[in-house]
Amino acid sequence: MAILLFAEHDNQSLSDQTAKALSAASLIGGDIDILVAGKNAGSVADAAAKLSGIRNVLLAESDALEQRLAEPTAALIVNLSGDYDTILAPATTTGKNVLPRVAALLDVMQVSDVIEVVSPDTFKRPIYAGNAIETVQTTDAIKVLTIRTTSFAAANGDNAPAPIKTIDAGSDATGLSTFLENILSKNDRPELGSAKIIVSGGRALGSAERFQQVMTPVADKLGAAIGASRAAVDAGYASNDLQVGQTGRVVAPDLYIACGISGAIQHLAGMKDSKIIVAINTDEDAPIFQVADYGIVGDLFDILPELERQL
Ligand code: FAD
């Protein structure tokens, strides 16, 4: 058995999503190679080489791979696929962009959002916004998987380094896509996907100004990321990239504080794996209390300023 793990990175540092997907790969069992596709990504390869239990790091560098556009990256992975039984990646924006194309080119099905490895060919994954868990067995010769990393602990990254092999990056023969620009939102806060604490606000905040005024001081005190429900995003109280849920980000911080969020299933789908959930809501029957470890029935406009004072 040989497994190829497609690494998530920004050409400078390796994302911990890779270390988490590696834990899933280890449960499948076999020789694991990590593919670092990028440009000037030597430091990423160095970090990947120190992850536990891997055989080799394959480093492919070219202009076409710098942004990991789906077409050249998928072509590279398909070229390597003959040596592997399983190809996997974290279910990040990049992983979800590249791997379906790999699966299509290999004419196999992709198993998406794996949350549990049952055996090397059988996996569990959420469906219906996490309301049901499907067990999927694949008979494909090459298994293509994306891993929901919130379900796996990060593999240790402090081991004696595995060999780094530089491989041919191939050419971007397709020319189907071109990188134009990457516009990143500037934020001094921890990144939502990897934050240990998230303070999240819902429709109850009532306006963008109040969202800022009430949520920011608590988040500052806690060193937390700020999240939002879709209702808050749709109403313009918070920006799109803060949305947590089925159509937003899936998060699993140590602490998730839901403020004025009812707990619709689509929201729960994005945060119910959080280690500790605190809910603040005026309605004691709000569904969020069914998943909360600690519930405060009350007005968030009283409770959050008081919490900030106490902190
Ligand atoms: P509401 O449901 O209106 O809840 C507001 C809550 O605030 C209430 O429980 C109320 O009791 C409480 N409240 C009011 N005033 C106060 C106060 N002063 N203090 C404390 N509490 C107060 N939603 C998501 O969040 N993420 C998604 O990714 C997502 N994807 C979706 C995908 C689809 C296909 C669909 C159909 C829906 C999706 N939704 C998603 C929307 C979801 O169904 C809910 O509409 C949304 O989550 C509700 O947001 P909310 O809890 O902020 O608002």
Side-chain angles (χ1 to χ4, degrees):
M1 293 276 291
I3 300 172
L4 183 67
L5 167 58
F6 173 51
E8 176 83 18
H9 65 91
D10 60 1
N11 292 316
Q12 282 159 19
S13 51
L14 183 70
S15 161
D16 71 345
Q17 309 278 338
T18 306
K20 291 176 179 176
L22 175 58
S23 295
S26 304
L27 291 168
I28 296 168
D31 294 327
I32 303 169
D33 292 343
I34 297 185
L35 171 63
V36 174
K39 189 179 171 196
N40 298 327
S43 57
V44 177
D46 289 342
K50 291 186 187 155
L51 289 172
S52 61
I54 62 160
R55 181 175 61 178
N56 293 309
V57 171
L58 309 181
L59 176 60
E61 296 187 286
S62 71
D63 289 344
L65 294 174
E66 183 170 11
Q67 303 297 334
R68 285 158 299 290
L69 296 176
E71 292 84 1
T73 312
L76 171 69
I77 295 175
V78 169
N79 272 343
L80 297 170
S81 64
D83 294 334
Y84 297 96
D85 307 283
T86 304
I87 297 169
L88 53 82
T92 56
T93 312
T94 304
K96 289 192 280 192
N97 195 21
V98 172
L99 255 62
R101 181 171 286 269
V102 170
L105 291 169
L106 294 174
D107 198 19
V108 300
M109 75 169 190
Q110 173 174 293
V111 184
S112 307
D113 271 322
V114 169
I115 58 167
E116 188 182 325
V117 175
V118 179
S119 73
D121 66 358
T122 307
F123 310 94
K124 292 193 177 181
R125 59 181 298 269
I127 54 172
Y128 304 128
N131 279 312
I133 305 297
E134 181 180 49
T135 304
V136 185
Q137 184 172 32
T138 164
T139 53
D140 284 324
I142 300 178
K143 282 115 190 116
V144 176
L145 318 171
T146 60
I147 305 298
R148 180 157 309 181
T149 49
T150 50
S151 298
F152 298 90
N156 184 296
D158 201 14
N159 299 275
I164 299 173
K165 295 185 173 174
T166 302
I167 60 167
D168 183 6
S171 64
D172 182 18
T174 64
L176 280 173
S177 60
T178 313
F179 175 76
L180 293 183
E181 63 176 326
N182 198 6
I183 303 173
L184 293 174
S185 54
K186 291 201 174 58
N187 200 340
D188 294 335
R189 295 190 180 285
E191 206 273 319
L192 196 56
S194 52
K196 300 260 180 274
I197 303 176
I198 297 174
V199 185
S200 205
R203 195 198 308 270
L205 271 302
S207 71
E209 294 70 35
R210 292 210 284 179
F211 195 99
Q212 276 291 329
Q213 279 164 13
V214 181
M215 303 286 290
T216 310
V218 178
D220 284 347
K221 280 271 166 68
L222 290 169
I226 291 182
S229 72
R230 177 157 155 184
V233 170
D234 286 351
Y237 307 162
S239 67
N240 249 343
D241 54 337
L242 300 187
Q243 184 178 319
V244 172
Q246 181 188 343
T247 42
R249 303 291 297 272
V250 176
V251 298
D254 293 340
L255 174 61
Y256 188 91
I257 306 179
C259 311
I261 292 177
S262 59
I265 52 166
Q266 296 90 353
H267 188 80
L268 300 186
M271 46 62 76
K272 67 178 165 26
D273 290 333
S274 305
K275 312 256 172 337
I276 294 176
I277 297 172
V278 175
I280 303 169
N281 199 304
T282 43
D283 175 8
E284 64 180 32
D285 294 324
I288 190 79
F289 287 128
Q290 290 168 18
V291 298
D293 299 282
Y294 299 93
I296 304 172
V297 178
D299 188 332
L300 69 87
F301 294 104
D302 297 332
I303 292 163
L304 285 180
E306 180 59 24
L307 177 61
E308 194 237 332
R309 271 193 294 276
Q310 296 291 335
L311 285 167

